[in-house]
Amino acid sequence: NAGVTQTPKFRVLKTGQSMTLLCAQDMNHEYMYWYRQDPGMGLRLIHYSVGEGTTAKGEVPDGYNVSRLKKQNFLLGLESAAPSQTSVYFCASSYSRLEPQHFGDGTRLSIL
Amino acid sequence: EDQVTQSPEALRLQEGESSSLNCSYTVSGLRGLFWYRQDPGKGPEFLFTLYSAGEEKEKERLKATLTKKESFLHITAPKPEDSATYLCAVFNTPLVFGKGTRLSVIA
């Protein structure tokens, strides 16, 4: 039982490149979330999903897109990476809005 | 706007020295508050859920309490392995996280 798995764990990009971060959960959770964590800023919600085929914007959605084609997967895309998107990205999932979220171990992304 | 403020930002304790971490919030109609622990290089790990004022939860050396305006995480006789960043989050659509308290316990 792996819980929440994020791929890749580390990545370095050049400004303007694109990439996709993958999140997979094996707990049959309906809700999935993408956060970014920056020093002094805490965890901020980028996008979230309340079920397969649905997505919604969080606090800081600009520059990111997401897709939830399968219940167990939630993808975060950067179409044209910018240095301001250098951060640690966390994926989380939960059974419902009121249930605790379970987090992956993060993707450390640097954009030069 | 919903806000969550944690204090202190950092806390250094000697092993066995008990203390408390604070999480104050301004949320209209609190539905729940979560405490998480985060180790360096890892994702947050769930500790407790508190739903109503007066509620308390305990786990080993940790005890979480909730009032109408704040929550406390009490650490009794801490050990070096309790060193971590402790995060609180209040339920909204979805969660609103505080910035955390970095706890260091020195042997």
Side-chain angles (χ1 to χ4, degrees), chain A residues 33 35 37 40-43 45 48 90 97-101 103-105 108, chain B residues 31 34 36 38 41-44 46 49 51 87 91 93-95 97-99:
Chain A
Y33 315 83
Y35 293 89
Q37 188 174 42
M41 297 296 293
L43 279 162
L45 184 67
Y48 65 101
F90 287 100
R97 294 166 64 203
L98 280 175
E99 292 293 317
Q101 295 178 17
F103 285 79
D105 281 338
R108 282 141 191 85
Chain B
R31 296 187 187 183
F34 300 101
Y36 286 85
Q38 186 174 22
K42 298 291 187 180
F46 169 72
T49 307
Y51 288 110
L87 304 171
F91 175 78
T93 307
L95 294 183
F97 280 87
K99 296 180 181 179

Side-chain angles (χ1 to χ4, degrees), chain B residues 16-55:
Chain B
E17 179 186 3
S18 301
S19 187
S20 297
L21 313 182
N22 177 262
C23 172
S24 63
Y25 57 87
T26 54
V27 175
S28 55
L30 179 72
R31 296 187 187 183
L33 183 144
F34 300 101
W35 279 99
Y36 286 85
R37 168 191 171 127
Q38 186 174 22
D39 293 301
K42 298 291 187 180
E45 177 186 353
F46 169 72
L47 292 173
F48 303 110
T49 307
L50 301 167
Y51 288 110
S52 58
E55 190 174 0

Side-chain angles (χ1 to χ4, degrees), chain A residues 10-26:
Chain A
F10 303 92
R11 187 73 184 268
V12 179
L13 289 179
K14 294 182 179 179
T15 298
Q17 288 185 318
S18 62
M19 79 162 295
T20 300
L21 281 63
L22 171 64
C23 176
Q25 54 95 3
D26 61 3

Side-chain angles (χ1 to χ4, degrees), chain A residues 41 44 59-60, chain B residues 1-5 24-29 90-92 96-97 99:
Chain A
M41 297 296 293
R44 293 182 292 169
E59 180 185 358
V60 289
Chain B
E1 181 181 334
D2 297 336
Q3 287 192 334
V4 178
T5 303
S24 63
Y25 57 87
T26 54
V27 175
S28 55
V90 296
F91 175 78
N92 201 330
V96 178
F97 280 87
K99 296 180 181 179

Side-chain angles (χ1 to χ4, degrees), chain B residues 77-90:
Chain B
K79 298 182 178 181
E81 52 262 42
D82 294 322
S83 297
T85 296
Y86 291 85
L87 304 171
C88 73
V90 296

Side-chain angles (χ1 to χ4, degrees), chain A residues 1 7 13 22 32 52 59 76:
Chain A
N1 189 348
T7 310
L13 289 179
L22 171 64
M32 296 188 74
E52 182 178 322
E59 180 185 358
L76 178 70

